[in-house]
Amino acid sequence: MATAKQPMTTDTLQALTANRLIDGLVVYLTETGEWSTRVDDAALVPAETGEIVLAATGEQAVSTNHVVAPYLIDVETGGGEVNPTRFRERIRAFGPTVNTSV
Amino acid sequence: MYQYDTYDKTLVDQRARQYRDQAERRVEGDLTEDEFRPLRLMNGLYQELHSYMMRINIPYGTLSSAQLRKLAHVARTYDRGYGHFTTRQNIQFNWVTLEQSPDILAELAGVEMHAIQSSGNCIRNVTADAFAGAAADEIEDSRIWAEIIRQWSTLHPEFAFLPRKFKIAVTGSPNDRAAIRVHDIGVALHLNAEGETGFEVVVGGGQGRTPMIAKTIREFLPARHLLSYLEAILRVYNQFGRRDNKYKARIKILVHEIGAQPFAEAVEKEWEQIKDSALLLPEDEVARITSFFAPPQLEKLGPTAPAFDAKRLTDRAFAAWAKANVVAHKAPGYGIVTISLKAPERAPGDATHTQMDAIADLADHFSQGEIRVTHEQNLVLPHVKLTHLFGLWQALAHHELATANAGLATDIVSCPGLDFCSLASARSIPVAQRIGRQLSDIERLHDIGELRIKISGCVNACGHHHVGHIGILGVEKKGEEFYQITLGGDPGTDAAIGNIIGPAFAGDRVAGAVENLIDTYLAQRSTNAERFIDTYRRIGAQPFKENLYATA
Amino acid sequence: MPLLRNGHIALDQWVAVGDDEALPEDAPIIVSLARWRAERGSLVDEYRQIGIRLKGGDNAEEIANDLPYFDLVAIEFASIADGRGYSTARLLRDRYGYSGELRAVGHIIRDIFPFLHRCGFDAVEARNDRDAKAWRESVGAINVAYQPATDNRLPTTVLRHLPLAAAAE
């Protein structure tokens, strides 16, 4: 279990992400417990409680076969937008970065 | 090309139905993800970064026009309008859904295609020379043996859960265009002194995080024993290949750890037990499969084509394309045409549904309805009359398919990288595009000559960077993309693994680094005919290295 | 955990005995390779029916000479991904002539049953799945065999050239 030794900093927020079973698209858990394809809709929780609050929801969504392999990502909020911290997660959220459409 | 009989048809139809049932059971929750994953993988369905990806087999890279039209249809109907041709002569669609994946397989079964074993720890789609049946230098059409291997390996019950994936390649020409020495098993066709067909068998090559060149374990295997010998190799590997560490599970590690000679002895010992079993290839079955690869009915033409020569003299752009993209055919008056899927700003290997339809039509008009896929991620029209080249070129240009760069520096091989792949560490496609921009001058490109640049977005090396004359490997360092450069790799007859030249470059400096390497080559080459790889072999890495890091 | 034998749910009279467990009296027993090696003399004296349980890494060759003692060989599949047991099974049947019960144990789902069946297994411990009919049908879901294996199916390399094949075209 996470222990809150450090005082909470405003930027260490987390979101729960997964891929939706039926179409494989990247989804984020929202505050109403839905799964949205937009990272902006993600419910953000302090990193200290992320594991507890979100893991339970994720496991539930896996057990009902709605999503696959949920995990927590670090996000930053600036200018009213949600931005995953890791480069890979930014590409997952906003990519692909190359125009491959017809 | 091979045509399904009632058995082949039954198998793919039944397989499509079986998979539909499995996909439905997954959606209903009867199968967990852990249980379903190996099943979907064995039908080519991956979960990638943004979506499911489906990889469809194109056995030994041979397609009919009807099959290519079906792939265009799949791109249009089930994906976002395009597909990606891979370094293993397959095609993958990046945006499919689990829900529709059974429909795709059912559609494919209608044109004698499937995705069986295009992923998973099993024997993957067998690859061969993309110019087979057309190349002037070949001994025999390698696809006959590739098809025999395809059938034997398809749903082989003993080898469905190997320690790791397993790739077999076949060449029928002394000039290896199938990269057999970087495969788990490579099979090279030879004739013995009596004129009998047989194979040199090489084992334990591969790329990935531990690249190795395959070792010869048998100099000449009579053709009728092909399947028993392969079965013996696979059986030894299945029992003794490492399963404790997936990075050490490929057969190359087993061969390396026990030694090629003891490995060969283990195989021979096993083979002695099964060589005269039901695996012995029946002559009538070999004859049946051979009949499908009979040479096409081509016209008897003279070796010269005055109309073609005249056009080359008057149209520089056409001449440049013909020089780079057309090679000699075994039939006089014909050529083998490479259709470059490396147009500027395109993702290497991508083709849109309209391009696929157009190529299918052109194949019908100009090339006996046949198309090939190369491991360099291009398409090929294998049987084109020289006098038709100009018309073909014009038609290709209309669809952005006439880039005159086959084998040249902008004919870049690239995996999908971090833009699509969930395993990737860094992006590949934008790097390829940047290099393409840097080298956009076609005159200069032709002056540089043959130069194979290959980019992988992670150590798994799907972009074959280890065998690039210039190899580029994407790595992640502290959350940023860096690219390591290797020199001197070669997938062909003189197969070699490239050597790392020095510290990695940031993404925006890779194209400049490639430019720098090319400048060194141009300054150092002995004649204009000396290729980049030849110069490298002659002078070594040092001059390249000195210039590359001089200003760093 | 029902036992499926020859496609039907069967009563399992065999007792799987752990290496440290006391041996039951008067029952057919399944022991590990290690226990067999340690106690074979007394086991052969005391028991009329002996089964052996092989782990994925145990090779057929290791028990080839002992096969006359066994009425059952169980091969363990620690996960779906561990495919060593398929080779072990084929070697036991094809090379060493074993004809007793060959049982797959471990993580077995019906989707891999066709592979097991073609490699010579005639029994599986089927975990939670009691739908024997679905298991039986899974074997015939694909009834074309491109290659010879350890079942009675004729591979296409042979089938295609039998006189009857012409009629099937």
Side-chain angles (χ1 to χ4, degrees):
Chain A
M1 286 293 122
T3 51
K5 281 181 191 166
Q6 303 277 324
M8 227 165 52
T9 59
T10 48
D11 285 334
T12 51
L13 293 171
Q14 289 190 320
L16 189 70
T17 186
N19 289 86
R20 197 155 59 195
L21 175 69
I22 203 78
D23 56 14
L25 293 183
V26 177
V27 288
Y28 302 90
L29 183 69
T30 70
E31 287 185 4
T32 55
E34 319 267 287
W35 292 85
S36 167
T37 54
R38 288 162 35 89
V39 70
D40 274 337
D41 295 339
L44 306 182
V45 297
E48 289 78 2
T49 50
E51 289 288 338
I52 308 159
V53 177
L54 298 176
T57 326
E59 270 164 34
Q60 206 262 332
V62 169
S63 70
T64 57
N65 298 299
H66 188 67
V67 302
V68 175
Y71 60 97
L72 291 160
I73 57 168
D74 290 348
V75 299
E76 287 152 16
T77 54
E81 284 172 3
V82 180
N83 234 327
T85 307
R86 272 194 69 198
F87 184 63
R88 177 183 193 274
E89 289 304 326
R90 287 204 294 281
I91 290 184
R92 251 182 110 243
F94 308 119
T97 66
V98 286
N99 178 18
T100 50
S101 61
V102 290
Chain B
M1 58 186 284
Y2 186 71
Q3 283 173 356
Y4 280 14
D5 69 1
T6 171
Y7 299 110
D8 304 297
K9 282 198 184 87
T10 302
L11 187 141
V12 294
D13 286 340
Q14 289 180 336
R15 177 60 159 194
R17 284 200 291 276
Q18 180 193 47
Y19 174 72
R20 186 181 294 281
D21 168 65
Q22 291 168 339
E24 283 170 5
R25 281 159 57 213
R26 173 68 189 109
V27 172
E28 285 157 14
D30 293 344
L31 287 172
T32 66
E33 186 60 18
D34 281 346
E35 289 169 338
F36 181 61
R37 187 184 304 109
L39 305 178
R40 70 165 155 77
L41 288 177
M42 272 200 280
N43 286 285
L45 193 72
Y46 282 79
Q47 171 70 64
E48 287 299 358
L49 209 55
H50 305 287
S51 177
Y52 288 105
M53 175 272 276
M54 182 172 270
R55 180 182 298 147
I56 293 154
N57 292 325
I58 301 174
Y60 36 89
T62 293
L63 280 172
S64 69
S65 55
Q67 289 174 326
L68 186 55
R69 271 188 207 99
K70 179 62 82 175
L71 294 174
H73 168 76
V74 169
R76 204 160 37 233
T77 312
Y78 300 99
D79 199 275
R80 297 189 179 177
Y82 65 99
H84 175 75
F85 289 95
T86 77
T87 51
R88 299 209 66 258
Q89 302 179 302
N90 290 324
I91 187 168
Q92 49 196 49
F93 291 105
N94 286 318
W95 301 97
V96 306
T97 67
L98 172 60
E99 212 172 8
Q100 291 188 320
S101 58
D103 298 337
I104 299 174
L105 292 187
E107 293 239 27
L108 290 171
V111 292
E112 308 183 359
M113 294 185 84
H114 61 76
I116 300 169
Q117 292 166 214
S118 68
S119 177
N121 293 336
C122 45
I123 304 171
R124 302 288 189 89
N125 185 40
V126 57
T127 57
D129 183 355
F131 295 169
D137 60 3
E138 87 179 357
I139 304 163
E140 196 178 286
D141 194 325
S142 48
R143 296 173 301 165
I144 297 162
W145 306 100
E147 174 61 24
I148 286 170
I149 295 170
R150 181 192 76 81
Q151 296 194 17
W152 161 79
S153 63
T154 299
L155 300 181
H156 196 302
E158 186 177 345
F159 306 130
F161 300 96
L162 296 168
R164 199 75 178 87
K165 58 188 169 182
F166 204 93
K167 301 172 183 177
I168 303 175
V170 189
T171 176
S173 156
N175 298 305
D176 176 14
R177 284 173 293 263
I180 66 158
R181 290 193 179 271
V182 285
H183 279 78
D184 295 286
I185 296 178
V187 176
L189 199 143
H190 291 291
L191 300 179
N192 69 4
E194 287 75 48
E196 291 165 338
T197 302
F199 307 100
E200 178 187 359
V201 181
V202 304
V203 172
Q207 303 201 47
R209 71 182 61 205
T210 320
M212 289 187 189
I213 301 294
K215 313 280 190 308
T216 299
I217 62 164
R218 194 165 233 279
E219 297 285 352
F220 189 84
L221 177 75
R224 65 185 180 281
H225 292 305
L226 178 63
L227 296 185
S228 56
Y229 205 80
L230 294 179
E231 185 138 317
I233 296 170
L234 265 296
R235 183 170 283 169
V236 170
Y237 171 57
N238 190 41
Q239 292 179 97
F240 301 105
R242 286 182 61 171
R243 291 173 184 265
D244 59 324
N245 178 343
K246 81 173 202 173
Y247 302 120
K248 296 189 172 171
R250 294 288 289 269
I251 195 173
K252 62 191 172 188
I253 304 292
L254 178 66
V255 174
H256 180 72
E257 285 183 353
I258 71 174
Q261 189 55 37
F263 181 81
E265 283 161 17
V267 169
E268 295 277 331
K269 189 175 159 221
E270 177 60 36
W271 180 58
E272 279 301 322
Q273 301 271 344
I274 57 174
K275 65 197 275 266
D276 299 313
S277 71
L279 289 162
L280 195 67
L281 272 168
E283 275 174 34
D284 46 9
E285 178 64 359
V286 175
R288 187 188 77 89
I289 290 182
T290 303
S291 70
F292 290 109
F293 298 98
Q297 298 291 313
L298 301 178
E299 287 175 44
K300 293 252 179 297
L301 300 171
T304 58
F308 167 55
D309 294 336
K311 282 291 181 196
R312 279 196 291 180
L313 285 172
T314 53
D315 192 319
R316 278 170 74 91
F318 172 63
W321 176 79
K323 183 164 177 263
N325 294 39
V326 182
V327 301
H329 194 285
K330 63 168 79 167
Y334 283 82
I336 304 170
V337 173
T338 295
I339 299 172
S340 170
L341 298 181
K342 317 295 176 64
E345 304 302 322
R346 287 289 178 185
D350 275 14
T352 67
H353 65 100
T354 47
Q355 288 178 323
M356 287 189 247
D357 275 336
I359 294 167
D361 290 348
L362 292 171
D364 282 339
H365 274 100
F366 294 113
S367 181
Q368 312 274 324
E370 214 182 286
I371 303 102
R372 307 292 176 77
V373 186
T374 74
H375 70 74
E376 285 98 3
Q377 302 176 290
N378 291 315
L379 298 182
V380 165
L381 298 183
H383 312 292
V384 183
K385 264 191 216 172
L386 296 179
T387 50
H388 285 161
L389 285 174
F390 189 74
L392 170 63
W393 174 70
Q394 287 180 309
L396 288 171
H398 188 67
H399 294 281
E400 236 189 309
L401 291 167
T403 313
N405 64 353
L408 305 179
T410 56
D411 185 4
I412 298 169
V413 169
S414 164
C415 70
L418 188 53
D419 280 303
F420 294 96
C421 178
S422 61
L423 299 174
S425 312
R427 289 173 294 168
S428 304
I429 299 167
V431 175
Q433 290 172 333
R434 277 207 190 107
I435 297 170
R437 250 169 256 149
Q438 186 99 13
L439 299 171
S440 58
D441 185 316
I442 197 83
E443 302 272 337
R444 181 149 180 274
L445 199 61
H446 280 251
D447 178 40
I448 296 164
E450 183 184 339
L451 174 51
R452 311 275 176 177
I453 301 178
K454 298 175 191 275
I455 309 173
S456 303
C458 79
V459 291
N460 291 308
C462 297
H464 293 182
H465 68 279
H466 292 300
V467 292
H469 297 168
I470 298 177
I472 299 171
L473 166 66
V475 293
E476 189 195 330
K477 280 191 198 171
K478 294 179 185 152
E480 288 188 43
E481 297 166 296
F482 278 84
Y483 296 86
Q484 211 163 57
I485 294 180
T486 53
L487 292 182
D490 187 339
T493 314
D494 302 316
I497 303 296
N499 297 305
I500 295 170
I501 182 147
F505 292 87
D508 57 359
R509 295 194 53 215
V510 176
V514 169
E515 185 78 57
N516 183 298
L517 294 168
I518 290 171
D519 286 343
T520 304
Y521 154 67
L522 291 174
Q524 295 278 349
R525 68 180 170 187
S526 57
T527 67
N528 285 6
E530 188 180 67
R531 302 174 306 158
F532 181 95
I533 184 73
D534 301 326
T535 303
Y536 171 83
R537 283 178 182 153
R538 181 170 56 79
I539 67 174
Q542 200 55 32
F544 290 96
K545 196 169 173 171
E546 278 167 19
N547 287 341
L548 186 58
Y549 294 101
T551 55
Chain C
M1 219 181 331
L3 175 72
L4 204 71
R5 190 184 282 139
N6 296 319
H8 296 273
I9 290 181
L11 194 66
D12 189 4
Q13 74 278 34
W14 290 85
V15 180
V17 190
D19 284 355
D20 303 323
E21 283 172 23
L23 290 162
E25 281 177 35
D26 241 15
I29 53 161
I30 305 174
V31 295
S32 72
L33 180 59
R35 189 154 191 177
W36 164 252
R37 282 175 174 163
E39 300 173 31
R40 62 180 286 165
S42 59
L43 291 173
V44 170
D45 286 346
E46 307 251 334
Y47 292 91
R48 288 183 45 225
Q49 287 190 295
I50 301 170
I52 189 154
R53 181 179 173 117
L54 300 181
K55 293 197 177 302
D58 298 334
N59 294 311
E61 209 175 349
E62 297 179 68
I63 58 162
N65 294 329
D66 295 344
L67 285 171
Y69 295 106
F70 304 135
D71 291 302
L72 180 148
V73 177
I75 299 176
E76 206 173 299
F77 290 80
S79 77
I80 293 176
D82 186 354
R84 291 174 292 191
Y86 296 99
S87 289
T88 312
R90 291 199 66 194
L91 288 169
L92 287 174
R93 291 277 196 233
D94 295 347
R95 185 152 310 157
Y96 303 118
Y98 175 70
S99 60
E101 179 172 331
L102 192 53
R103 183 187 290 195
V105 301
H107 195 126
I108 315 288
I109 59 173
R110 72 175 190 241
D111 303 275
I112 65 166
F113 187 49
F115 297 128
L116 293 168
H117 184 264
R118 291 212 67 211
C119 287
F121 287 95
D122 53 7
V124 289
E125 287 179 8
R127 297 238 164 191
N128 307 318
D129 194 342
R130 300 192 64 89
D131 190 350
K133 183 165 166 282
W135 283 70
R136 279 196 301 279
E137 286 172 355
S138 75
V139 172
I142 295 173
N143 58 17
V144 175
Y146 270 139
Q147 60 295 100
T150 309
D151 57 357
N152 53 14
R153 274 186 207 173
L154 280 176
T156 48
T157 44
V158 174
L159 204 49
R160 280 176 171 140
H161 304 283
L162 295 177
L164 58 93
E169 287 288 320

